[in-house]
Amino acid sequence: EEQKLVGAAGKDTDKPGHLYTFDMETGAKLSDAPTGCKELNGISFNPTDGVLWGWDQTQGLVKIEGDPKTCSAPVVKGEKGLEVEALTWDNAGETLYFAYNDHNGASNGDANATHSLGKYEATTGVAEWNVCNIDTPEIEALEVLNDGTLLVGYHENGRQLVKMVNTTDCSVNTDGSLQGLTALTDIEGLAVCLPEAASCPSIAGTGTWKVMAADTSCSTALPGDFLPLDAYSFSIVSLL
């Protein structure tokens, strides 16, 4: 079974909204293609049907389907002043969680905005925006772990990865198994190997984690031509 890492571009590039595929061992870019979206801030494959979902900041929640993959009309429209930065499906493919900045009332940038968690339920097709407020710095990366908890990556410098153990009140805690990945800067995307994977690619010193961040301080962990792509998010798909 083959797995590929897929990345999506934001707006600060000459290829906004493009999808990329990467070699999971070397980090080399394998392909890129436009989607019709203009600013993909987050992507996630639904684990039950393999459909890729994304958040286009100019539209809202979209499906990215077809050949070539193209953004659909928004399934959920964006709200004024709310900037979604990351999203991920749960392992059952029933709930899609998204982290966002609420700029309504904020006077100066993302840091002063309210940070919140929302969710979209596949069975009802309904989005709930304010599940809980997140009393932490700005979140720019979300991924669901094999045990069902959320892994959170921060924009702020020098922050370690944390688990969000309760998606009702957004409480978080540090996890001892993640301590080797402290002091990371500006984590834009996270992707966890799927449970059925025989092995995960690794970088020496970080176990099964590949470090991919936007800040150039992490450039030693970014092979190939990754850095200029303005990749805001990642997801892994199995190719049977």
Side-chain angles (χ1 to χ4, degrees), residues 48-238:
T48 60
D49 59 15
V51 173
L52 181 62
W53 292 63
W55 187 272
D56 179 9
Q57 190 55 37
T58 67
Q59 298 186 78
L61 182 65
V62 297
K63 293 182 180 181
I64 309 172
E65 299 181 283
D67 186 15
K69 290 194 178 298
T70 304
C71 289
S72 69
V75 178
V76 174
K77 291 185 177 180
E79 298 278 345
K80 182 179 180 181
L82 304 185
E83 179 188 18
V84 173
E85 293 278 18
L87 55 80
T88 186
W89 281 102
D90 67 0
N91 288 326
E94 297 174 351
T95 303
L96 185 146
Y97 293 100
F98 53 91
Y100 65 95
N101 304 321
D102 185 348
H103 291 283
N104 295 309
S107 59
N108 185 24
D110 294 343
N112 293 323
T114 300
H115 312 305
S116 300
L117 184 75
K119 65 180 181 179
Y120 168 82
E121 297 291 353
T123 54
T124 63
V126 174
E128 180 182 352
W129 276 91
N130 194 8
V131 173
C132 49
N133 290 331
I134 306 168
D135 188 23
T136 65
E138 177 188 3
I139 291 174
E140 290 193 331
L142 281 178
E143 177 63 298
V144 65
L145 298 176
N146 295 340
D147 64 4
T149 57
L150 295 180
L151 185 68
V152 177
Y154 295 114
H155 169 76
E156 186 179 80
N157 293 352
R159 298 286 299 200
Q160 66 186 37
L161 300 175
V162 299
K163 280 186 177 181
M164 182 176 292
V165 295
N166 191 327
T167 56
T168 301
D169 64 9
C170 290
S171 58
V172 299
N173 75 330
T174 58
D175 185 299
S177 66
L178 305 177
Q179 294 303 306
L181 287 177
T182 58
L184 298 177
T185 299
D186 195 7
I187 303 171
E188 294 285 355
L190 295 165
V192 174
C193 286
L194 301 178
E196 63 269 24
S199 62
C200 293
S202 64
I203 290 175
T206 62
T208 58
W209 295 97
K210 254 190 190 301
V211 179
M212 289 194 170
D215 190 84
T216 53
S217 66
C218 294
S219 60
T220 55
L222 299 173
D225 55 357
F226 174 84
L227 279 174
L229 303 182
D230 186 43
Y232 275 8
S233 54
F234 301 96
S235 191
I236 293 175
V237 62
S238 283

